[in-house]
Amino acid sequence: MMLTITEKVLGILEKREFVTIATVSPKGQPNSVPRFFLRAKGNFIYLVDHVMGQTVGNIKKNPLVSISFMDQDNLESYRLNGTAKVISRGKIYDA
């Protein structure tokens, strides 16, 4: 079942420069790191990863991720769970 990201949550997310993305390694080791927030469009969230290290490797093996961030004005936290895809070239990457 796919849930829709609400306008309220999108508005809060778009104010963020960084979000935290959590992945898991093939050996079950959690990996939670800050990444640049690029944009949100519909139910898609685009992040920038300049390192292209453990997080990218984990996503390629297991695309299940959790993204967390805060509304600093109201001290409310949010977590979005879903699947991720590494985009390193093409129309979406160039946009």
Side-chain angles (χ1 to χ4, degrees):
M1 180 169 116
M2 185 169 163
L3 300 175
T4 301
I5 302 172
T6 66
E7 290 297 321
K8 175 186 174 186
V9 171
L10 284 173
I12 294 165
L13 182 59
E14 289 173 350
K15 293 179 186 176
R16 305 280 57 88
E17 185 174 351
F18 294 95
V19 298
T20 300
I21 183 168
T23 62
V24 66
S25 76
K27 293 183 178 182
Q29 180 68 38
N31 181 59
S32 180
V33 293
R35 290 294 179 250
F36 286 105
F37 169 74
L38 181 61
R39 70 177 172 268
K41 187 171 184 180
N43 269 356
F44 296 95
I45 297 170
Y46 299 91
L47 306 179
V48 175
D49 188 339
H50 293 289
V51 178
M52 299 293 281
Q54 185 67 48
T55 302
V56 169
N58 288 349
I59 289 170
K60 287 180 177 180
K61 294 190 184 323
N62 178 357
L64 298 176
V65 299
S66 184
I67 294 175
S68 59
F69 54 96
M70 277 191 75
D71 177 353
Q72 294 173 322
D73 296 332
N74 297 310
L75 297 179
E76 294 177 336
S77 60
Y78 295 87
R79 183 185 71 219
L80 304 174
N81 297 322
T83 56
K85 178 180 178 183
V86 176
I87 300 171
S88 58
R89 67 176 76 90
K91 215 162 117 174
I92 294 173
Y93 180 83
D94 294 332

